[in-house]
Amino acid sequence: MASVVNTSLSEDADLRDDGVGGDLVEIGLVSVWAELWAREGLARRDRSLVTLGILIALGAEDELGSHVRIGLNNGLTEDEISEVLYHAAGYAGFPRAMAARKAARKALAPDPGPGDG
């Protein structure tokens, strides 16, 4: 997966466990990361733009945070991510865009150091 999105996502991507639906993450890694992101029809940067818009429309804030960081690694700027939020407000609705803004800001915030909370 890291080779597809040009980054290591250990904090976001290792969601595998032995509980109910434990294979779901593996299925997603194979069908989405290995298949869709590896296709040649769109550049990774463009796939990040599309993915952010879809996640905003779905209200998938947890996944959005991961994809904000992936988008940065795929060449998006913070200004472009902001434009996706603005554009989504007109199509997905203001509440979805506001929730996405909160998730994006959290994803872009500097990581607190040890003992900082």
Side-chain angles (χ1 to χ4, degrees):
M1 177 179 65
S3 66
V4 174
V5 295
N6 297 328
T7 185
S8 172
L9 296 172
S10 59
E11 67 184 82
D12 300 310
D14 196 8
L15 303 173
R16 292 172 263 203
D17 60 32
D18 293 328
V20 173
D23 290 337
L24 184 60
V25 172
E26 191 66 30
I27 291 166
L29 290 173
V30 171
S31 66
V32 177
W33 293 109
E35 296 292 329
L36 291 178
W37 280 84
R39 292 180 56 83
E40 295 181 11
L42 290 173
R44 291 177 183 170
R45 182 186 178 287
D46 298 333
R47 287 188 192 281
S48 284
L49 285 170
V50 171
T51 301
L52 289 173
I54 292 168
L55 292 174
I56 291 168
L58 290 172
E61 288 84 20
D62 289 340
E63 290 82 5
L64 183 79
S66 297
H67 280 278
V68 164
R69 291 185 290 276
I70 291 167
L72 291 172
N73 283 308
N74 285 340
L76 296 180
T77 66
E78 288 188 23
D79 287 341
E80 289 170 323
I81 292 168
S82 293
E83 288 298 326
V84 172
L85 295 171
Y86 307 148
H87 198 72
Y91 288 90
F94 190 73
R96 296 276 186 178
M98 289 298 291
R101 181 182 83 155
K102 182 178 178 182
R105 287 181 174 184
K106 182 178 177 182
L108 294 169
D111 289 328
D116 290 341

